[in-house]
Amino acid sequence: MTEKTAPRSALGILATATARHTPGRHTPGRHTTGRDATGRGDEAPLPRLPGFVESSFSPLAYEVGSRCLTRQPGDGSRTAVALASLMGDTTTADLASRRLISGQVHNPLLFMQATANSILGYLSREFGITGQTFSLSTLDDPLAELLAMADLLLEDPGLDRVLVLGVELGAQAGGASGGDPGGDSGGGRGGAAVPRERVAAAYRELAADSGRPTPPPSAHADLAAAALLGRAGTGAPVSVRPAEPHATDATAAAGHPGSLRGLFDLAGAHRRLLRDGGGHRLVTDPAAGRGPTAFLLTADTKAPMPNAPAGRNETRTHAHQ
């Protein structure tokens, strides 16, 4: 197994966004912003995406990605995108396999959206992005790998920004909708409930093989998080850089396979630093074959920040669940 690496230099955080959707629950409003590190507290209908049906995977990815790109518009020709997800769109894969086994007519939309690159292509078209797009899969918290990927991509003089995203569909039963995929383009807002026992079984097997815990019983919500990154010192009000390891970092507990806790903690720390200034030490889940990775987020006092007080503060987060 290849050891994951942290970014070698500081990155600027231009925007972040988080979203949470529990299939079957609907509240007024379109946008979703997590109130804590896992997005608990807010629910919202998903955006309707033409050509994407039944699953919340693509609408969630589009939701968080579009909010970052809307808040910080830029040159799409100088923007790249990287999406991380352990198992990708499990709702679509499960629905397509069940239809095939039952002898139903194949739906081409399910084949198209089964790959994560489909929503990246849609997002890129909507925002004029012509830079590289990548899809990653990792058992570890994807934060360190996505930051390292952004750092590598920004070595290209033709790129100024990298949008990184993570999407995790709920691993427990009692979630996704499963009506006829031919009649709904709303990202899974109709139809009968489809149990996720097969997805939960896959998580249990991955957890057993990797020595990680299984997702908690409440993990039936679908989560997404995104960050728009550039080089530090180019106007970003908050920067993130690798931090020297501390002995206390070893106390970080491993999260379940594919957990997005680190990305949610990054977004939460970004919001706090925009408001309060100061610094924040973030410690990710331990990765296979090595300990946790630590990052230091720092507010740039020279960059404009809303409601930034004169005082300084520093907080610390262990990204685990």
Side-chain angles (χ1 to χ4, degrees):
M1 180 175 292
T2 302
E3 184 173 327
K4 309 290 191 302
T5 58
R8 295 168 295 176
S9 55
L11 299 171
I13 305 176
L14 299 167
T16 59
T18 59
R20 181 178 191 262
H21 176 75
T22 301
R25 288 186 58 182
H26 309 287
T27 56
R30 174 175 181 273
H31 296 296
T32 311
T33 302
R35 292 180 184 173
D36 66 10
T38 58
R40 296 183 180 91
D42 287 307
E43 295 283 347
L46 296 174
R48 289 185 175 271
L49 303 181
F52 292 89
V53 298
E54 292 306 312
S55 174
S56 63
F57 184 94
S58 293
L60 276 172
Y62 182 83
E63 177 74 7
V64 293
S66 63
R67 279 159 48 194
C68 287
L69 294 168
T70 300
R71 291 169 185 169
Q72 292 289 337
D75 186 349
S77 68
R78 301 183 63 83
T79 302
V81 186
L83 183 149
S85 179
L86 174 58
M87 292 193 287
D89 190 348
T90 52
T91 299
T92 294
D94 182 77
L95 179 57
S97 64
R98 286 188 295 109
R99 288 176 62 90
L100 179 64
I101 292 171
S102 64
Q104 297 184 54
V105 177
H106 175 67
N107 188 319
L109 290 180
L110 298 180
F111 176 80
M112 178 276 298
Q113 75 179 35
T115 62
N117 283 340
S118 297
I119 187 56
L120 298 188
Y122 182 89
L123 181 71
S124 296
R125 185 187 67 181
E126 291 294 300
F127 287 89
I129 295 173
T130 57
Q132 302 97 314
T133 59
F134 299 89
S135 296
L136 313 175
S137 176
T138 174
L139 282 170
D140 302 326
D141 185 315
L143 176 61
E145 187 160 346
L146 286 172
L147 292 180
M149 171 69 80
D151 182 39
L152 178 63
L153 289 171
L154 288 170
E155 293 291 332
D156 183 347
L159 291 177
D160 294 327
R161 310 185 309 166
V162 179
L163 176 68
V164 298
L165 311 92
V167 182
E168 178 187 10
L169 298 189
Q172 297 297 330
S177 63
D180 181 2
D184 180 15
S185 61
R189 285 180 290 275
V194 174
R196 298 186 179 182
E197 283 87 358
R198 280 172 287 192
V199 176
Y203 270 101
R204 289 194 296 270
E205 183 173 345
L206 288 170
D209 291 342
S210 63
R212 292 176 173 273
T214 56
S218 60
H220 60 270
D222 301 331
L223 304 174
L228 185 61
L229 306 171
R231 282 296 179 203
T234 57
V238 177
S239 63
V240 56
R241 58 175 48 82
E244 291 296 322
H246 286 178
T248 54
D249 293 346
T251 62
H256 66 260
S259 169
L260 297 183
R261 184 60 181 257
L263 274 172
F264 272 87
D265 282 339
L266 179 79
H270 176 249
R271 290 193 295 268
R272 288 193 296 273
L273 294 182
L274 286 177
R275 182 186 66 235
D276 302 330
H280 181 97
R281 183 179 174 84
L282 191 157
V283 183
T284 70
D285 293 342
R290 63 168 173 80
T293 302
F295 299 96
L296 180 63
L297 283 75
T298 307
D300 183 359
T301 56
K302 297 180 181 179
M305 288 191 297
N307 304 319
R312 308 288 290 175
N313 69 70
E314 184 166 344
T315 57
R316 178 186 178 89
T317 292
H318 278 292
H320 63 86
Q321 61 183 27

